[in-house]
Amino acid sequence: MPFLRSRTPFLPWNPTLAGLEFPFHSSAARKGKTMSENTLTIRDNRTGKEYVVPVENDTIKAMDLRKIKVNPEDFGLMTYDPAFLNTASCKSKITFIDGDKGILEYRGYPIEQLAEKSSFLEVAWLLWNGELPTKGELDEFTRHVTHHTYLHENIKKLMEGFRHDAHPMGMLQSTVGALSTFYPSAKQVNDPRQRAHHTIRLIAKMPTIAAFAYRHSIGFPYVYPDNELSYVGNFLSMLRKMSEPKYKVNPVLERALDVLFILHADHEQNCSTNAMRAISSAQTDPYSSLSGAISALYGPLHGGANEAVLTMLREIGTINNVPAFVKEVKEGQGEKKLMGFGHRVYKNYDPRAKVIKGLADQVFEVTGKNPLLTIAVELERIALQDDYFVKRKLYPNVDFYSGLIYEAMGFPPDYFTVLFAIGRTAGWLAQWHEMVNDPDQKIARPRQVFLGPARRDYVPVEKR
Ligand code: CMC
């Protein structure tokens, strides 16, 4: 088994640090309510019966509703919540979001501070382990990640088999899935040591797969990792290096990409993280689960939105066309959307978008200004004054400006979501560790409200 031969002697994940006892942002706890006051009385008007259910951390347990029945043989009451608009699927201590105030914190640290002072690998450790690493822990973690950047040669051959115009997200998703066949020990998901090994492997190999996908799309030879460079420096080298003996990394672009990875690293129970947790809940190996999470991220309503923003800005063409475009969105009754605007959780300016807007100026000093920026700024100005957007609390989200930076750095639009996926890998894995260690979790299996036909007998085709 290859990984047992690898020099990975440590077990970085700390179960005590990442345990589930933690102070929730719970209003009941803040108000100092007693246990008996923390209940909800439900009166069932169908029967006149009253039920008292406990309220904990501002939630009631859905299973407590099951005892509410009209007849003893009834199944019991359920909640109907398509798209999980008001359902907490887990207890988590990783990421806190206050969507109304525009707050995002990883393990309690504000995103603005992490973006200014931290590095992506430090944040990946923080998300996974619950605390910032000591210098020794960070050095050790960085060393291990650096030494797992290479891919098996057969993975390279597999990637060579894609068509020249294969979408890089499709390549990333299937290549990560294929990794599970190279590391069968990853199936041992209940072994913390195995989980640690494969977490490091995934964080290390994502940039290599992503870079190979890019080189494939432009028909250039793949560049092997340079382990003397930083995580992001090596990624840039694998993307850009040609015949020069060593790739010279631009420190401004290296830092900008590192910050973008930090901003995308986690975002609590979003669509792809929910996919990661749902797939892993069947004790699936992390490569297969992460491949599923990448598929969810691919969609234009999720990580694919940054690509859609650029398409939209190009379609608008000039700032003079902005008012007409906004009018079209408003009159489209939800048919046409202002991409990069709105969020399920943020009903205020997305704090990540603020950091990215600031970052854009630094990048544009190196790359030259992206001409689409003028249209984006005008679009934001007009939308933020417009009643339609104000009333619905639609503000720019993380994808509104990130695409402009990526494009200025020379990435093609269909590659933007790949960059998002590299950063989000840290969060997907941290959420997976938390789920595996959570005694409340079982295989994910929602209920349904069945509205189909009642039992009926099969009719032969000639009689229909
Ligand atoms: N442009 C125009 N109208 C919008 C937009 C938009 N971008 N977003 C929402 N609305 C309208 C929507 O039509 C609805 O109007 P009404 O009440 O008249 O029916 C109202 O606002 C509420 O929207 P919703 O669709 O119920 O909100 P949601 O929470 O289900 O959707 C969203 C959230 C992000 C999918 C949605 O805002 C959207 O499609 N935005 C554009 C795509 C985008 O930028 N996605 C990136 C999200 S951030 C990155 C990530 O987390 O992946």
Side-chain angles (χ1 to χ4, degrees):
M1 290 203 291
F3 90 87
L4 286 179
R5 287 202 305 273
S6 77
R7 298 189 306 118
T8 321
F10 81 135
L11 212 187
W13 186 75
N14 181 336
T16 333
L17 288 177
L20 285 166
E21 299 79 37
F22 46 92
F24 263 105
H25 290 259
S26 152
S27 64
R30 279 196 304 274
K31 288 172 203 151
K33 294 246 185 258
T34 65
M35 197 52 203
S36 62
E37 287 171 297
N38 283 330
T39 59
L40 178 75
T41 302
I42 302 169
R43 185 185 153 81
D44 186 348
N45 293 325
R46 299 171 303 172
T47 58
K49 279 195 203 155
E50 281 195 353
Y51 302 82
V52 177
V53 296
V55 176
E56 200 186 323
N57 303 313
D58 294 339
T59 57
I60 59 163
K61 286 203 172 96
M63 280 305 284
D64 284 341
L65 301 178
R66 193 66 80 70
K67 61 188 173 201
I68 304 178
K69 300 177 177 192
V70 174
N71 298 305
E73 61 275 13
D74 282 355
F75 183 75
L77 206 64
M78 295 190 296
T79 55
Y80 172 60
D81 190 11
F84 305 124
L85 290 177
N86 198 36
T87 295
S89 64
C90 63
K91 293 176 183 170
S92 181
K93 62 185 288 191
I94 300 175
T95 291
F96 173 73
I97 301 175
D98 185 328
D100 290 326
K101 296 195 183 121
I103 293 172
L104 170 63
E105 294 165 358
Y106 296 160
R107 302 281 189 183
Y109 295 103
I111 194 67
E112 295 81 0
Q113 287 185 26
L114 293 171
E116 189 191 333
K117 299 175 179 162
S118 189
S119 68
F120 174 66
L121 284 187
E122 188 175 57
V123 165
W125 172 282
L126 169 72
L127 290 168
W128 179 13
N129 292 286
E131 294 297 336
L132 287 167
T134 61
K135 166 101 176 57
E137 285 168 336
L138 183 59
D139 289 349
E140 188 69 348
F141 181 53
T142 305
R143 190 172 70 78
H144 284 293
V145 169
T146 307
H147 283 88
H148 280 92
T149 47
Y150 272 71
L151 296 175
H152 193 290
E153 278 296 291
N154 287 356
I155 280 285
K156 200 183 96 182
K157 285 187 199 140
L158 182 137
M159 294 186 77
E160 280 164 356
F162 283 104
R163 265 175 61 132
H164 70 281
D165 57 353
H167 195 290
M169 277 300 272
M171 289 181 75
L172 186 72
Q173 175 258 339
S174 34
T175 307
V176 170
L179 279 182
S180 78
T181 66
F182 286 74
Y183 303 116
S185 61
K187 286 188 174 59
Q188 295 164 36
V189 293
N190 290 319
D191 178 347
R193 211 181 158 78
Q194 294 290 355
R195 288 203 303 274
H197 279 306
H198 295 291
T199 296
I200 289 167
R201 278 220 168 91
L202 270 162
I203 292 173
K205 292 185 195 313
M206 282 293 279
T208 315
I209 300 171
F212 282 13
Y214 175 71
R215 300 288 288 207
H216 182 86
S217 69
I218 52 172
F220 281 11
Y222 299 173
V223 176
Y224 286 101
D226 178 344
N227 288 347
E228 284 176 2
L229 297 174
S230 70
Y231 186 79
V232 170
N234 171 48
F235 178 49
L236 288 170
S237 162
M238 291 188 291
L239 289 166
R240 304 266 181 248
K241 187 172 175 299
M242 292 307 289
S243 60
E244 67 273 39
K246 191 148 188 93
Y247 181 73
K248 214 167 162 304
V249 181
N250 180 302
V252 175
L253 302 187
E254 182 183 24
R255 178 63 191 151
L257 208 47
D258 203 47
V259 172
L260 284 159
F261 287 164
I262 293 173
L263 297 177
H264 286 93
D266 196 53
H267 213 234
E268 50 121 304
Q269 306 312 312
N270 54 83
C271 178
S272 56
T273 301
N274 183 57
M276 179 79 191
R277 280 183 174 256
I279 300 169
S280 307
S281 75
Q283 301 197 340
T284 307
D285 73 84
Y287 299 97
S288 306
S289 302
L290 209 119
S291 167
I294 294 170
S295 308
L297 187 73
Y298 195 174
L301 294 189
H302 192 5
N306 48 22
E307 184 181 344
V309 170
L310 268 265
T311 312
M312 175 187 76
L313 294 176
R314 284 224 164 77
E315 188 190 318
I316 296 172
T318 74
I319 58 167
N320 298 339
N321 296 337
V322 169
F325 181 83
V326 171
K327 189 162 173 271
E328 233 180 289
V329 168
K330 284 169 19 183
E331 288 170 358
Q333 308 284 342
E335 283 294 306
K336 189 165 191 154
K337 284 191 166 165
L338 185 45
M339 298 311 284
F341 257 68
H343 200 275
R344 172 63 57 79
V345 179
Y346 293 119
K347 300 302 165 199
N348 201 323
Y349 213 102
D350 183 335
R352 300 168 299 174
K354 260 188 212 154
V355 176
I356 291 177
K357 214 174 160 184
L359 203 61
D361 296 331
Q362 295 165 33
V363 171
F364 294 157
E365 263 185 40
V366 177
T367 62
K369 197 168 141 189
N370 188 324
L372 297 175
L373 178 70
T374 327
I375 303 173
V377 170
E378 180 65 359
L379 198 52
E380 177 187 332
R381 190 187 69 76
I382 293 195
L384 292 185
Q385 289 174 357
D386 193 294
D387 231 30
Y388 176 95
F389 296 91
V390 173
K391 256 199 349 234
R392 290 170 179 76
K393 299 189 176 167
L394 300 169
Y395 292 87
N397 60 47
V398 68
D399 290 322
F400 194 66
Y401 287 106
S402 62
L404 293 171
I405 299 187
Y406 292 146
E407 188 171 75
M409 286 175 79
F411 294 112
D414 67 358
Y415 200 70
F416 298 169
T417 320
V418 171
L419 300 165
F420 190 154
I422 296 174
R424 185 55 58 87
T425 295
W428 288 328
L429 291 165
Q431 299 271 350
W432 169 59
H433 282 279
E434 186 176 72
M435 191 200 71
V436 173
N437 284 288
D438 181 350
D440 283 355
Q441 291 295 333
K442 288 169 180 286
I443 185 166
R445 204 320 183 170
R447 292 280 174 181
Q448 65 170 4
V449 180
F450 180 70
L451 298 176
R455 186 193 179 284
R456 47 185 173 162
D457 290 325
Y458 178 80
V459 181
V461 69
E462 60 278 8
K463 292 202 179 152
R464 281 174 225 157

